[in-house]
């Protein structure tokens, strides 16, 4: 009796929640299409308003961020366009259009910093991790680990030598895949939801030697430049430039990707 009541409650909740979710998704699609129509008519401010309204609800996707970046670019807001192209790239790192538009936007910034090349295996690890959402990698990891446990059970309880050998080696492969999937899940989540990269939004900001206005000026940055946040003290952030230099800037001068 209790089980029937539980099943009934679950079904009732689904019947109540599903229409609301569907309606919200429909409204979001209509709003997105309205922004696309405004963009094609040359009303970039109107399109941006529609798309940002969707983004501010907490919904995010590569196409949405990409279109917001395009609208900002058309409005000559270069830091805004770079910010959202970078966000779109995190969600779909293989998209050639996003990469191309990002490079075009970067040609419009003032600062030209020498970059320290990222180690190739770190770059590839990041790319692979972003190919799938964090939750998908986590599911792969759990399933692989369960299969590994099943195969180990076969190894311990079967009397067939050949089956023992096969079960043991396949279990090791599944354990390895589970570990890799878990690492990709953690990395993907960190890159997307705990990203420490940021874009300078102030027309000009001076990097200080200490987290206060009395610090010595170390460098000058302009809007659109990408930096890495390494520390925080009050309303000041320590940033690292692509050339390796570090300095402190007010938190209000940049936006986290």
């Amino acid at each position: 009796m209790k089980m029937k009541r539980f099943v009934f409650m679950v079904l009732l909740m689904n019947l109540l929640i599903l229409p609301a979710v569907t309606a919200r998704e429909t409204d979001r699609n209509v709003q997105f299409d309205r922004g696309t129509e405004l963009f094609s008519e040359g009303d970039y401010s109107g399109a941006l308003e529609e798309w940002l309204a969707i983004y501010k609800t907490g919904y995010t996707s590569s196409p949405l961020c990409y279109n917001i970046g395009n609208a900002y670019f058309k409005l000559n807001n270069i830091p805004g366009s770079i910010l959202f192209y970078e966000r779109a790239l995190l969600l779909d790192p293989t998209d050639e259009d996003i990469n191309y538009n990002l490079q075009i936007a970067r040609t419009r910034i003032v600062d030209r910093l020498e970059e320290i090349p990222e180690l190739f295996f770190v770059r590839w690890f990041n790319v692979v991790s972003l190919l799938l959402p964090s939750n998908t990698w986590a599911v792969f990891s759990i399933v692989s680990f369960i299969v590994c446990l099943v195969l180990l059970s076969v190894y311990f309880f079967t009397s067939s030598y050949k089956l023992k050998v096969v079960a043991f080696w396949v279990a090791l492969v599944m354990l390895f895949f589970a570990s890799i999937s878990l690492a990709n899940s953690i990395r993907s989540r960190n890159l997307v939801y705990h990203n420490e990269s940021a874009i300078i939004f102030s027309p000009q900001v001076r990097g200080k030697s200490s987290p206060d206005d009395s610090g010595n000026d170390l460098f000058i940055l302009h809007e659109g430049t990408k930096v890495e946040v390494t520390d925080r003290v009050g309303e000041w952030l320590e940033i690292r430039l692509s050339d390796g230099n570090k300095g402190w800037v007010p938190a209000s001068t940049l936006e986290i990707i």
Side-chain angles (χ1 to χ4, degrees), residues 153-166:
S153 298
V154 173
Y155 169 77
F156 283 115
F157 295 107
T158 186
S159 58
S160 170
Y161 175 76
K162 289 184 178 180
L163 190 55
K164 276 181 177 289
V165 172
V166 173

Side-chain angles (χ1 to χ4, degrees), residues 84-99:
F84 276 91
Y85 286 149
E86 291 278 6
R87 287 175 174 173
L89 201 61
L90 283 176
L91 299 170
D92 189 358
T94 61
D95 191 295
E96 294 182 357
D97 291 334
I98 298 173
N99 273 290

